[in-house]
């Protein structure tokens, strides 16, 4: 009963910026970690950035210094600000949330449908 809706993807030139957002809705009791993954064609899905409920953040080395993850707990939303984009950032980006649902006794991972980010001239 949890939905993750992603937005903000698109086509951008190298060196440009995009801001992704992912809003969770449903019978949410609490959300622990929220993360962004990406998967390029022919490659495995990789963790790009993560943020805990305490606002601690982590980043893949390839995006450190260029991407910033943040969250708005009141809106159950996670953001990914992507600056100085490179062609190798081209991928489908997926948000992930670790959610405790009302009526359940354990945390489950939920995923968005993905949003395409394409970086090219």
């Amino acid at each position: 009963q949890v939905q993750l809706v992603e937005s903000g993807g698109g086509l951008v030139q190298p060196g440009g910026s995009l801001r992704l957002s992912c809003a969770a809705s449903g019978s949410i009791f609490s959300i622990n970690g929220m993360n962004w993954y990406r998967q390029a064609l022919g490659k495995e899905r990789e963790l790009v950035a993560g943020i805990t409920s305490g606002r601690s953040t982590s980043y893949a080395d390839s995006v450190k210094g260029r991407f910033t993850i943040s969250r708005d707990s009141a809106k159950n939303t996670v953001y990914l600000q992507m600056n100085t984009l490179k062609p190798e950032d081209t991928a489908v980006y997926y948000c992930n949330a670790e959610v405790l649902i009302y009526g359940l006794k354990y945390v489950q991972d939920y995923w968005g449908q993905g949003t395409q980010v394409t970086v090219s001239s």
Side-chain angles (χ1 to χ4, degrees), residues 35-39 45-48 92-94 96 111:
N35 310 286
W36 286 98
Y37 288 76
R38 68 185 181 188
Q39 187 168 20
R45 187 174 297 187
E46 64 173 338
L47 178 64
V48 176
V92 177
Y93 284 71
Y94 299 89
N96 159 266
W111 294 84

Side-chain angles (χ1 to χ4, degrees), residues 27-93:
S27 301
I28 299 171
F29 181 79
S30 63
I31 299 178
N32 188 12
M34 301 188 81
N35 310 286
W36 286 98
Y37 288 76
R38 68 185 181 188
Q39 187 168 20
L41 285 175
K43 296 185 178 180
E44 298 294 321
R45 187 174 297 187
E46 64 173 338
L47 178 64
V48 176
I51 185 167
T52 70
S53 60
R55 305 297 189 271
S56 178
T57 60
S58 61
Y59 299 91
D61 287 342
S62 60
V63 307
K64 194 172 298 181
R66 299 187 297 120
F67 291 11
T68 302
I69 188 171
S70 61
R71 67 189 291 177
D72 184 337
S73 295
K75 297 192 293 185
N76 289 327
T77 300
V78 63
Y79 305 92
L80 186 67
Q81 178 67 46
M82 304 184 294
N83 298 326
T84 319
L85 283 160
K86 304 175 180 179
E88 51 263 44
D89 295 318
T90 296
V92 177
Y93 284 71

